[in-house]
Amino acid sequence: MPTHPILDYLWIILLLPLLGSAANGLFGAKWPNKIVNAVAVGSTGLSFAAALEAVREFRQLSPEQIPWVKQYFSWIAAGSFRAGFDLQIDQLTVVLLMVVTGVGWLIHIYSTGYMAHEGGYYRFFSYLNLFMFFMLILVMAANYVLLFVGWEGVGLSSYLLIGFYFLKKSAADAGKKAFIVNRIGDFGFMLGMFLLFRTFGTLDFVALFDKAGHWPPEAMGQLGTFTIACLLLFMGACGKSAQLPLYVWLPDAMEGPTPVSALIHAATMVTAGVYVVARSHLLFTHAPTAMLVVAIVGCATAFFAATIGLVQTDIKRVLAYSTVSQLGYMFLACGVGAFSAGIFHLMTHAFFKALLFLGAGSVIHAVGGEQDMRRMGGLSKKIRWTYLTMLTATLAIAGFPPFAGFFSKDAILLNAFLNEYGGRNIGYALYGLGLLTALLTSFYMFRLIFLTFHGKPRYDEHHVHVHESPKSMLVPLMILALLSIVGGWVAAPALMHGPDYFTNFLAPMFGQGGAAVAEESGAYDLELWLVAVAVTTSLIGLAVAFWMYLKRPSKPEELARSMKGVYTTLLNKYYVDEFYAAVVVKPLLWLSTNVFWKTVDVAGIDGAVNGIADSATALGDKSRRTQSGNTRSYAVWVVVGAIVVIAAIFWPLLRPATGMVP
Amino acid sequence: MNMIPTNYYLVLSAILFGLGVIAFVFKRNIIVIFMSIELMLNAVNLAFVAFSQAMGKLDGQVFVLFVIVVAAAEATVGLGIIILTARNRQSLNIERVDLLKL
């Protein structure tokens, strides 16, 4: 019997960041930055090491020991309901664990350089470690209830970090917006959990999926238990992963410090929705209607967000819309049944999108806090390493071989092409829109690169002293750049008739995806054709961006003038925020102000309480006048009182004498 | 035996008590007010003694002794207050004693 030092004590992995967070949060204010660094980076680094060891031990487990579930203590027990502090390790968790701890650790290191001159240094790292703790709970939980703890916890950390510069009103508002929009999704998520418990009597993953597996799948168009539960869970995923119609918080979340955007709002937390859908894949495959909804929402979001990204001028906002778009891709993959492709894209996206954000942070750092790309340009020579690493990430996201994004994106497009849910025509439509999105992605990403790094400098060269970032920021960039190149190679042999290691690794959970099925039926040529089409598309995007922003720099403006309507609509993000403000926020504010605040609270509750108090005061005020302080008036009162008492005693005796009573 | 009727005593008692009340309410000098209280007490004592004799019981007379004792105690305390008031205010006018209020 082999021993598993870490697998038996899985809680070590998540306890380390919590301890780091507590230490920095409680004592960090008095510590110099070096100690805060050591605690924050050390705790996440140790957590990463523990996770690596856990994965090594996991590889030695026999298939029947997977999923590896450890029950530590019973947390909630009421009637037949039980939710324990149970942690679980399986193939899906392993992938997420590596991404969260690995990328998280790199971003911690980067932050020590990026945040060096900011106030609230200890506070930042305390929050960041707290986020790591909750994210690890989320991915390692063995039941929906504990998963929900992590789910809400990362929401809290996200709120705290978006509003890190809380003296700035826009940052505080963005934090609140993220929290409230997520609340809408969480509402659905909770209802989904309740429905699952009501139906299956448990929320533990192993027991729940075991029971659900024995149920017959529902038909397309049928609105049964599975479909409703899945749609409710997906509602939660839409909130957390910023999908239509709840994506509005993510672009605003860019108010937070850039490492936060990289870690929480690109690499890890926003992929939690994809994780939940993949985790619940057994429920989703039982509900074809829900699968179709997931695919359509994902595909629509991917396209919608990409179009907005075309015209944004804030470097971080372009990346934010790009993130929304790429998350849409992941949901598209899940929706067409290719969960492993979705998780694969989640992983590669974590590498290159974290790199893009960190690179953007390095650029912002270099030009002294400027985020508008119209005031950058020509930076490639001055910040060489930042430029090279960001270029790598751009090539990866645009889908050029042999970069990571190429493999994951092609897996998704291929699976969309072969969609099993809702017929082939829907599959072709999803593929077409996905391909168009790939074109837009390539275009807006190279637009970002050309505007930022090429052409003539448009910043004030006398005042802005452009400088390369310190090593603590560049080293994580380089590691992530390396991962953005090689991260996809695990799936590379599949293109050469070889095994797809990533899909095979996840196969015990998801089975072989649609792509593998296609290969068996001899559609191998099809895959090569699709790859050729996708790469050509990316090249077109690159070429158009090159032509518009380097060869003919006046062209974008001409285009914007000739298509003014389209341009302003895109620039104003389809007026979705304004639409929500008019349809949801304003009526709600009106209702809260006029009904709940002014009528119920002020007039009703306060009115009753204050009314009683006021009448008592008024009565006291009146009776106060009897106490004049004049001793003689008191004497009169004594006499009057005596007369009243005597009269009361003698009245019955006097009455017969007056003849009033017969 | 030719006795004075009890009613005479009671009427006298009532007149004395009424005078005491009127003086108590209308006089300004604290010592006079104090004396009017004594007057009222003694009016009551007179009524007690009259009833006692009319009914041939000693209860009323015993009660009067108690009243006299209480009146003596009250006189001590009352005079103490009056002396302090006079020292603090340089006056015995009741109108000037008006701080006993909210």
Side-chain angles (χ1 to χ4, degrees), chain A residues 260-283:
Chain A
V260 172
S261 309
L263 178 62
I264 301 184
H265 306 118
T268 53
M269 184 191 83
V270 289
T271 60
V274 183
Y275 168 75
V276 163
V277 172
R279 172 60 74 198
S280 322
H281 67 98
L282 212 133
L283 307 175

Side-chain angles (χ1 to χ4, degrees), chain A residues 257-465:
Chain A
T258 307
V260 172
S261 309
L263 178 62
I264 301 184
H265 306 118
T268 53
M269 184 191 83
V270 289
T271 60
V274 183
Y275 168 75
V276 163
V277 172
R279 172 60 74 198
S280 322
H281 67 98
L282 212 133
L283 307 175
F284 276 88
T285 46
H286 274 62
T289 325
M291 288 293 271
L292 191 62
V293 170
V294 173
I296 290 172
V297 168
C299 197
T301 309
F303 178 73
F304 182 80
T307 55
I308 300 177
L310 293 177
V311 298
Q312 297 301 312
T313 54
D314 182 320
I315 187 167
K316 283 181 74 182
R317 289 213 170 225
V318 174
L319 294 176
Y321 281 105
S322 164
T323 305
V324 175
S325 175
Q326 298 298 312
L327 289 166
Y329 265 123
M330 296 174 210
F331 279 110
L332 170 62
C334 292
V336 297
F339 294 102
S340 63
I343 295 298
F344 188 32
H345 197 57
L346 188 161
M347 183 182 85
T348 57
H349 175 258
F351 297 150
F352 59 67
K353 188 51 68 62
L355 173 53
L356 281 171
F357 267 115
L358 296 186
S362 181
V363 169
I364 295 165
H365 198 253
V367 294
E370 182 59 58
Q371 299 199 7
D372 194 331
M373 294 191 293
R374 288 171 299 188
R375 285 197 279 278
M376 294 178 184
L379 293 171
S380 63
K381 295 225 173 57
K382 296 195 170 149
I383 43 176
R384 186 114 229 137
W385 282 108
T386 305
Y387 169 64
L388 286 176
T389 50
M390 271 194 92
L391 188 64
T392 315
T394 306
L395 289 168
I397 194 176
F400 286 100
F403 296 93
F406 164 75
F407 298 101
S408 53
K409 190 175 282 185
D410 278 320
I412 291 172
L413 289 177
L414 172 68
N415 281 294
F417 194 78
L418 299 167
N419 176 33
E420 307 161 35
Y421 300 95
R424 271 295 157 88
N425 284 335
I426 289 180
Y428 295 150
L430 292 175
Y431 171 77
L433 205 55
L435 196 65
L436 195 55
T437 307
L439 173 71
L440 299 178
T441 308
S442 173
F443 173 78
Y444 68 67
M445 283 314 301
F446 280 103
R447 169 179 176 266
L448 184 151
I449 288 287
F450 293 148
L451 277 177
T452 310
F453 292 106
H454 294 270
K456 288 202 176 69
R458 290 182 299 279
Y459 52 89
D460 186 352
E461 284 180 272
H462 300 291
H463 289 98
V464 180
H465 169 64

Side-chain angles (χ1 to χ4, degrees), chain A residues 620 624 627-632 634-636 638-639, chain B residues 24-28 94-95 97-102:
Chain A
R624 185 172 72 90
Q627 293 206 9
S628 59
N630 188 339
T631 317
R632 288 168 74 202
Y634 296 154
V636 174
V638 170
V639 173
Chain B
F24 178 72
V25 173
F26 290 103
K27 278 296 177 183
R28 290 215 175 96
I94 193 77
E95 306 274 315
V97 184
D98 59 354
L99 289 179
L100 199 64
K101 66 176 176 186
L102 282 172

Side-chain angles (χ1 to χ4, degrees), chain A residues 104-115:
Chain A
W105 186 48
L106 289 176
I107 291 173
H108 270 76
I109 296 173
Y110 176 94
S111 304
T112 61
Y114 188 84
M115 300 297 289

